[in-house]
Amino acid sequence: MTNGEHTVLIDGLSFHFRVSGSGDDVVLLHGWGCSTEIWKGVEAFLAEHFRVWNIDFPGFGKSQVPDSVWGVDDYTRNFEQFCSMMGISNPTLIGHSFGGRVSILFASRNVVRKVVLVDAAGVLPHRSLKYYAKVYSYKAIKKIAPLLLGKARAQQLIDKRRKASGSDDYNALPETMRGTFVKVVNEDLCPYMPNIKAPTLLIWGSEDTATPLSDANVMNSLIDDSGLVVFEGVGHYSFLEQPTRFNIVVGNFLGIDKFVR
């Protein structure tokens, strides 16, 4: 595979990715709502030492949106097919947020060289009573409003309620991806973490509110060969907020002797 931008079909879906560098395979797996573009700095650094695969998950970037609701397993199977097509074996995975979910499941059932989980998702969050009240009241409105108001007025009410109470990530999605968002954020990947046998590095921002540091501690306790590096005062995007430090830490973990800016 030559370096540059490429698109392939996987189960009829257009799948976009970029390849750069040469050597052992490193795959960059972006977070929810992101694309290959978010990894540009990390990709440029790693491409000096490895063959770097920077992918757009289906539904993001330049990859096609699935026509049905997907879960983490669907995304992982899609990625497994991609690796098989490209001849990628024993890769190093670097997964941020949602990309961490796919990294966890992939590494739990495939041979990988190393894993880097960056502010990764995968621990089922503890929900408050307020959260459940909001969710179930919204579901009740979806069921009852069409009967009382008719379809058109009911849809207006539902859209208004969703915009008022839903997250920005959720509201920005097409309908199919909304269902996917709900499905993946409610999947608990903790049972798979003890099956990861590769050396695993956790990099976390101490001020991450999307995937709090407590999630990192859970993962660190469940993955046998793992270690945690905390970036103090940093949020959910540690590799963007402190790129030089991030590259140094990852480079050391991957065995790069000389740090290249």
Side-chain angles (χ1 to χ4, degrees):
M1 177 63 65
T2 59
N3 286 349
E5 306 271 344
H6 300 277
T7 301
V8 294
L9 286 178
I10 302 178
D11 288 339
L13 289 178
S14 176
F15 187 102
H16 170 261
F17 63 99
R18 186 166 60 242
V19 186
S20 55
S22 61
D24 292 336
D25 292 314
V26 175
V27 187
L28 302 176
L29 305 171
H30 65 76
W32 191 269
C34 300
S35 70
T36 56
E37 297 306 298
I38 203 166
W39 286 119
K40 272 190 171 181
V42 176
E43 178 185 351
F45 165 63
L46 292 176
E48 296 290 329
H49 309 275
F50 305 100
R51 180 167 66 163
V52 181
W53 303 81
N54 191 355
I55 73 168
D56 278 336
F57 283 120
F60 304 97
K62 298 177 182 177
S63 291
Q64 189 174 348
V65 177
D67 58 6
S68 61
V69 172
W70 280 22
V72 178
D73 183 66
D74 297 292
Y75 275 100
T76 305
R77 290 182 184 278
N78 178 269
F79 177 52
E80 287 170 338
Q81 289 185 64
F82 171 76
C83 289
S84 179
M85 289 175 64
M86 297 298 113
I88 300 171
S89 60
N90 196 25
T92 291
L93 306 180
I94 302 180
H96 171 247
S97 197
F98 170 73
R101 289 183 182 274
V102 176
S103 299
I104 290 166
L105 193 54
F106 185 97
S108 75
R109 64 194 195 197
N110 294 278
V111 176
V112 298
R113 189 181 306 276
K114 292 183 177 180
V115 182
V116 182
L117 299 176
V118 187
D119 301 287
V123 176
L124 191 65
H126 297 289
R127 303 299 194 186
S128 66
L129 290 176
K130 182 178 179 180
Y131 169 84
Y132 286 112
K134 181 174 69 175
V135 169
Y136 288 117
S137 63
Y138 175 68
K139 289 182 178 181
I141 288 173
K142 288 184 70 175
K143 292 282 187 181
I144 298 171
L147 300 176
L148 300 178
L149 304 175
K151 288 185 178 180
R153 289 184 61 196
Q155 191 59 51
Q156 291 177 355
L157 177 62
I158 291 167
D159 290 342
K160 182 178 180 180
R161 180 62 179 270
R162 175 176 55 78
K163 290 177 181 178
S165 62
S167 69
D168 291 338
D169 282 344
Y170 184 84
N171 288 324
L173 298 173
E175 189 64 34
T176 300
M177 295 302 290
R178 288 179 195 159
T180 295
F181 180 81
V182 171
K183 185 171 184 177
V184 300
V185 299
N186 286 291
E187 291 188 56
D188 182 11
L189 300 183
C190 288
Y192 301 99
M193 294 176 192
N195 297 329
I196 298 175
K197 303 306 178 185
T200 301
L201 173 65
L202 308 172
I203 301 178
W204 234 266
S206 65
E207 306 306 309
D208 189 341
T209 57
T211 53
L213 185 57
S214 58
D215 288 4
N217 291 326
V218 171
M219 293 182 186
N220 198 27
S221 69
L222 292 174
I223 301 172
D224 288 338
D225 188 4
S226 66
L228 172 62
V229 175
V230 179
F231 287 11
E232 293 296 334
V234 171
H236 189 55
Y237 294 88
S238 53
F239 60 101
L240 297 179
E241 294 179 62
Q242 293 192 3
T244 300
R245 184 183 180 191
F246 180 87
N247 286 346
I248 291 173
V249 171
V250 170
N252 182 66
F253 179 64
L254 299 186
I256 298 174
D257 293 329
K258 183 179 179 180
F259 173 69
V260 181
R261 287 185 179 274

